[in-house]
Amino acid sequence: MAVTGRSVLVALFAVGAVLISGRLSALVTAVALALLALLLVLDALLAASPGALHLSREGDTSLRLGDSATVYLTVHNPTRRTLRGRIRDAWPPSAHSRPRSRSLHVPSGERRRIGTELTPTRRGDARAAGVTVRSIGPLGLAGRQRTLSTPWAVRVLPPFHSRRHLPGKLSRLRELEGQHTVMVRGQGSEFDSLRDYVPGDDVRSIDWRATARGEGVVVRTWRPERDRRLLVVLDTGRTSAGRVGDTPRLDHAMDAALLLSALAGKAGDRVDFLAHDRRVRAQVKASGKGSQVSRIVEAMALLEPELVESDPADLVGTILGTQGRSRKLVVLLTDLDATVLEEGLLPRLPALTSRHLLLIASVRDPAVEAMAEERGTPEALYRAASAERTLGERRRITAELRRLGVEVVDAGPEQIAPALADAYLDLKARGRL
């Protein structure tokens, strides 16, 4: 049974009346309390039963982080009594639901539809915790309360802030595909057309069969190859939990991976996705041509950094064993931690780079660069020396990776997404895809 503020006021009024009358006795006090208790019980019994209500939901089931969604709750009162009271649709604190509670009046046999607005601050599934209904009796003194289970989940997807860069990158892609076709076939080129020879053309591009059938010399032209394979890999291990600014490194990597996936899909390439630390956390395999961004976004929604060291041996084995034998571009988004890479990934690179083109992208922390510029006090000099050592190790491991034939993109949180997209376009322009 739930009591209201009105019952407390009635109790205070009764006590005041006894004090004013001057007849304070055990009998009078007992009678007053018994009468009040009787009124409370009677009022609660006359209230509509919250357990008999029929609840149903409808509304949004997904949204991007930073946006708002609305979930509607329909309350049907099948009882013969009017429901008066309050209702609270409870959600996790990170969902930031509004309003927290509201008054409710549902006559017998009728329905009421109420909406709850959610503005989540975390990725993943936001699940309804329960609906608490407090039904108050006609006297407004007491009532019944019950929490009912009405399941509903709203999936919070990555925000994809870098999509603002997509029009510019697509414009560059169209320029790349619209440039004059090359005369020498590269590793990432495919046959485009035949045309007459003009002075200055490379003699290696002459098509001798077509020349023999015609009256003049004919050359082949080539264009950047489409329908290539990309594998985007997110490292979800310990280093991905480090915060760059106010955001985990993993979230910055996700944003860059989404821009690359959207761009590659528009270029006609097939994009696979893999999230891995000590085991596979999420995987999306391309199903035909076209953009896989929506599927990749869904797979990313539930990912969280795992506080374990990543297993590079299992990662390389997964890439080589489950992604087919055709050559592809493997884009690994991880941290350029010299110790971790030297002890784990570097010894296994030859097995990977012998079959695929590898590009490693990493989010650089601007705070470390700012720290390296500090001067003025012994503490500042110590921080600057530590930061400079970290940056030096980062430059050293980058040079080592490039010596082994690995493409490297190292940029700040705001630049990592467009820098990775530019690296992909540069590889296409150079015919390496």
Side-chain angles (χ1 to χ4, degrees), residues 74-87:
T74 300
V75 182
H76 175 219
N77 180 16
T79 68
R80 291 180 293 178
R81 298 173 182 172
T82 297
L83 175 67
R84 304 178 185 86
R86 297 193 68 81
I87 186 169

Side-chain angles (χ1 to χ4, degrees), residues 33-206:
L33 293 177
L35 180 60
L36 179 59
L38 179 62
L39 290 175
L40 293 176
V41 172
L42 180 62
D43 204 27
L45 291 175
L46 293 177
S49 173
L53 300 177
H54 296 163
L55 305 181
S56 60
R57 291 188 185 272
E58 59 182 336
D60 297 326
T61 57
S62 66
L63 77 160
R64 291 193 181 277
L65 186 64
D67 295 340
S68 296
T70 303
V71 177
Y72 295 97
L73 179 69
T74 300
V75 182
H76 175 219
N77 180 16
T79 68
R80 291 180 293 178
R81 298 173 182 172
T82 297
L83 175 67
R84 304 178 185 86
R86 297 193 68 81
I87 186 169
R88 183 191 178 196
D89 189 4
W91 291 80
S94 62
H96 293 276
S97 59
R98 297 190 306 268
R100 294 183 60 84
S101 66
R102 68 182 73 203
S103 59
L104 187 64
H105 184 273
V106 187
S108 174
E110 295 189 10
R111 290 177 170 83
R112 291 292 184 269
R113 186 169 179 257
I114 61 176
T116 300
E117 184 180 3
L118 308 177
T119 309
T121 55
R122 292 185 60 184
R123 286 182 293 100
D125 287 342
R127 300 184 182 277
V131 179
T132 301
V133 181
R134 178 175 291 182
S135 176
I136 305 301
L139 299 178
L141 298 176
R144 313 186 206 180
Q145 180 172 304
R146 187 167 180 180
T147 299
L148 307 174
S149 176
T150 310
W152 193 264
V154 176
R155 177 153 293 184
V156 185
L157 306 174
F160 196 6
H161 295 307
S162 61
R163 59 186 165 185
R164 67 183 184 275
H165 298 291
L166 187 57
K169 303 308 175 186
L170 289 177
S171 176
R172 186 183 170 195
L173 176 64
R174 287 190 291 269
E175 291 177 2
L176 175 64
E177 294 180 340
Q179 288 175 352
H180 64 279
T181 50
V182 297
M183 297 306 302
V184 180
R185 181 178 184 179
Q187 185 178 27
S189 303
E190 62 183 10
F191 174 74
D192 181 62
S193 61
L194 295 173
R195 66 169 175 80
D196 292 336
Y197 175 87
V198 295
D201 288 342
D202 195 310
V203 295
R204 290 175 296 176
S205 62
I206 296 176

